[in-house]
Amino acid sequence: GSTRQGSLSEYITVPADECSKVPDGISLTTAAAAPTEALTALQGLRKAGALEGKRVLVVAAGGGVGFPSIQIAKALKASEVTGICSTKDVGRVKGHADDVIDRTEIDITKQLADRKYDVIYETSGKYSIFQLKYALKRGGAFVSTIPSPLNMPPLSYLVKALTGRTYATLMVQCNRPDLETVGGWLATGVLEVPIDCTRGVKEIAAARERNSSPKKRGRVVIKVKGGW
């Protein structure tokens, strides 16, 4: 939201149109963990247009944005969703995607030629449209979570002319309708947000260390009740 108050404060004020009621049956821990990544996933996939009947590839499908992206792509009626992830995340991603590619076993910049997609959502920030366009159908959409001048005129026109594909990035906007959509998916089991651990606000150093750990398996949540 637009608040400039500290994110680890026990109480803050936010605009009413940038929040929504936590659905019945959803814990405050899950409600805290879900919005940022789920909104990034939803709004990023929207940049590609309607997904119904489309083949979608999500890069870094085991990550904070990638994992909800594979689930939301299915909710938006994509015909086939493929996730690229590291070995440790294959089992978890396989539970939601139609196909899973272990990025440690192939060079995804060269070995996806037989897997043409309508949409590639690159959530890791490591690959460009020029590296992956060979796996993207002509007329398809490449979406990245990393802002770039390449998706703004006049460079966007040049990219489309050179690649035959649409390139988009996003700046996430917090808004009530999207939060309610995410909340509905959480409440009905369409969307799963794994929680790695919770820490008290006085354990912030340990929480940050865990959040940066390659062993992390989900979101790290800080409980601020009681304050510092």
Side-chain angles (χ1 to χ4, degrees), residues 132-154:
L132 297 180
K133 72 179 180 65
Y134 79 98
L136 188 60
K137 293 180 182 178
R138 193 164 189 83
F142 180 93
V143 182
S144 173
T145 54
I146 305 299
S148 168
L150 292 178
N151 78 307
M152 295 181 286

Side-chain angles (χ1 to χ4, degrees), residues 23-61:
D24 292 339
I26 299 301
S27 70
L28 291 180
T29 299
T30 297
T36 301
E37 283 72 20
L39 291 184
T40 305
L42 173 59
Q43 294 175 15
L45 289 168
R46 280 186 184 147
K47 290 282 186 177
L51 296 189
E52 186 169 359
K54 300 288 184 65
R55 300 185 73 222
V56 177
L57 174 68
V58 177
V59 180

Side-chain angles (χ1 to χ4, degrees), residues 196-197 205-214 216 218-221:
D196 179 87
C197 65
R208 286 175 172 161
E209 182 178 355
R210 181 62 184 178
N211 196 49
S212 301
S213 171
K216 184 184 70 168
R219 306 296 296 149
V220 175
V221 178

Side-chain angles (χ1 to χ4, degrees), residues 9 25 74 104 126 140 146 172 217 228:
S9 300
K74 296 296 288 185
T104 66
K126 296 179 180 178
I146 305 299
V172 179
R217 296 291 188 274
W228 292 85

Side-chain angles (χ1 to χ4, degrees), residues 37 41 57-71 81-97 99-103 121-124 126 192-196 211 213-220:
E37 283 72 20
L57 174 68
V58 177
V59 180
V65 175
F67 192 60
S69 292
I70 57 175
Q71 300 172 71
V81 178
T82 298
I84 294 177
C85 62
S86 58
T87 304
K88 68 181 176 63
D89 293 319
V90 167
R92 185 161 55 92
V93 171
K94 190 176 291 185
H96 296 279
D99 191 18
V100 182
I101 298 171
D102 187 333
R103 66 173 176 79
Y121 191 11
E122 211 292 85
T123 70
S124 73
K126 296 179 180 178
E192 171 197 346
V193 177
I195 307 297
D196 179 87
N211 196 49
S213 171
K215 297 180 180 181
K216 184 184 70 168
R217 296 291 188 274
R219 306 296 296 149
V220 175

